[in-house]
Amino acid sequence: MGALPAAARLCVLCAVLAAAACAAPALRAGPGVPWCAVALLAAVCAVCERLPRRTLTLPVLLAGAFLLPPAAAGLVAIPGALVGRVEQRPAWIRRLWHAAQLSLASCAASHVFALAAPAMATDAGLSPLAPADFPAALPPALAAALVLSLVAAALDGAVRVAAERRRP
């Protein structure tokens, strides 16, 4: 593959800046963020990204979306995407893209879950869910999973259109 087209580089840059803006509130919140949970989920996500098939990454990102505030949920994907395997070059820009894409999708999913299940989502995150909460948590969880998938797919489509110089 030759050099990445300017439109694709611009798409990646915009996604990286948007992901940084989405995650910034977590960094400013400091002790208000459950950093141990963020670190644990990020570590599990990093392990999942190194597996031959990345089939476990999305469930980890969804757990972050359900358990963490949106900005913190956006941070979960970043370490794993940055250390994940990349088959095509340029690897560094593909890693940045993957990190931004998954960070934005996770943040969006967490926002949807917080809006759809306000009693279950707290500003501090990690609100305990009782077994009785399960039926009520299912629709917000499904909505969040759908948003995570749609955002990731839309971003993937946008960068492919830009990189391959094709019509949408």
Side-chain angles (χ1 to χ4, degrees):
M1 178 177 145
L4 202 58
R9 289 181 186 269
L10 180 62
C11 187
V12 171
L13 176 63
C14 288
V16 168
L17 292 174
C22 288
L27 300 175
R28 287 191 303 268
V33 174
W35 289 111
C36 288
V38 172
L40 178 63
L41 287 169
V44 172
C45 189
V47 169
C48 293
E49 284 288 321
R50 298 295 298 172
L51 295 174
R53 291 187 179 176
R54 296 176 178 156
T55 57
L56 297 176
T57 300
L58 292 179
V60 174
L61 296 179
L62 282 172
F66 301 155
L67 298 172
L68 299 170
L75 291 173
V76 169
I78 295 172
L82 292 177
V83 302
R85 294 176 301 105
V86 176
E87 289 82 25
Q88 296 177 337
R89 301 210 182 275
W92 67 272
I93 202 162
R94 290 180 183 277
R95 282 189 177 105
L96 279 176
W97 168 253
H98 192 58
Q101 175 193 30
L102 293 181
S103 178
L104 289 168
S106 298
C107 187
S110 183
H111 273 294
V112 167
F113 187 76
L115 288 172
M120 292 173 221
T122 67
D123 288 336
L126 292 176
S127 59
L129 293 175
D133 292 332
F134 177 73
L138 192 55
L142 291 173
L146 179 64
V147 165
L148 186 132
S149 298
L150 289 175
V151 169
L155 289 169
D156 189 51
V159 81
R160 285 181 183 268
V161 165
E164 298 171 3
R165 298 180 178 121
R166 293 188 181 178
R167 299 180 75 182

